[in-house]
Amino acid sequence: MKLRDLSPLMACRRAGGFSYSYSQFSADPALNTLQWPDDVLEQFLFDHGSYFMDDYGDINLSAISWQLELIPAAEFLTMPTGESDGDCIERFAETHAYRVEQRPREVGRCWEERGTWLRPPLLLDRRLLNQSDSGLQVLEGRTRVGVLGGRLREELHVAPEHQAWVGRP
């Protein structure tokens, strides 16, 4: 199953707005075969699925296995994101303090106390996009990764490793 195959479900999600709950969405029979963790399903498909069509519409969702992994902070500094918004991580890094201020207070507390994000972002093994590629790519959580980069640049408290959901073949 490809992301494009879920276009009708994404349209239903958009049309329902805030009244269309995650539990309604995740109960859709089209998602039964994925067997993904709820956090991944919610961040990738429920929260942002329709916005990812340009970059990930042809990706085989059934070929992705998700694991929570610890990734060294330095690896995030060179990690790309989708082509359609390739410079956004750097923009978020430049405005990292503002980005945190716009979130609930607990997000800022987490950065100050633990030096990391509150919710693990989603990363993809680039081989899922192109067999000859290597490394990881930021799928969802580009603001979080930008904040990490900005904090590292300004030598603010940052943990040496960060949890992320990693999708691999």
Side-chain angles (χ1 to χ4, degrees):
M1 168 188 3
K2 296 186 178 193
L3 183 57
R4 287 196 199 291
D5 298 335
L6 296 176
S7 290
L9 180 59
M10 300 303 155
C12 185
R13 161 68 175 116
R14 280 193 316 275
F18 290 116
S19 66
Y20 191 74
S21 71
Y22 174 70
S23 59
Q24 289 173 290
F25 178 85
S26 63
D28 192 287
L31 303 175
N32 287 346
T33 61
L34 291 181
Q35 303 294 311
W36 287 3
D38 276 334
D39 195 27
V40 172
L41 191 65
E42 186 174 9
Q43 287 189 68
F44 183 4
L45 300 181
F46 180 72
D47 291 345
H48 304 291
S50 59
Y51 300 110
F52 291 136
M53 288 297 175
D54 287 344
D55 292 330
Y56 305 105
D58 292 323
I59 193 169
N60 181 357
L61 302 177
S62 302
I64 305 173
S65 176
W66 294 94
Q67 296 293 322
L68 199 54
E69 298 182 14
L70 279 175
I71 309 293
E75 283 189 33
F76 287 98
L77 296 177
T78 58
M79 214 175 276
T81 190
E83 289 181 27
S84 67
D85 207 6
D87 64 340
C88 73
I89 293 174
E90 180 55 32
R91 287 193 325 262
F92 297 149
E94 291 170 359
T95 58
H96 69 90
Y98 169 78
R99 301 290 169 178
V100 172
E101 288 171 9
Q102 299 305 305
R103 302 293 190 265
R105 234 178 244 166
E106 64 184 319
V107 170
R109 259 195 320 270
C110 196
W111 278 110
E112 292 305 316
E113 295 171 8
R114 295 182 16 221
T116 192
W117 34 67
L118 189 59
R119 188 177 193 190
L122 310 182
L123 311 177
L124 278 180
D125 183 316
R126 293 176 56 90
R127 293 176 297 167
L128 288 161
L129 305 169
N130 182 338
Q131 289 283 331
S132 63
D133 277 350
S134 63
L136 298 174
Q137 177 164 318
V138 180
L139 170 65
E140 169 48 18
R142 299 171 305 180
T143 301
R144 286 168 268 181
V145 172
V147 167
L148 172 69
R151 289 181 65 86
L152 281 169
R153 203 176 294 153
E154 291 187 16
E155 298 181 4
L156 298 172
H157 175 55
V158 173
E161 295 180 315
H162 304 268
Q163 281 192 328
W165 287 105
V166 179
R168 298 191 186 276

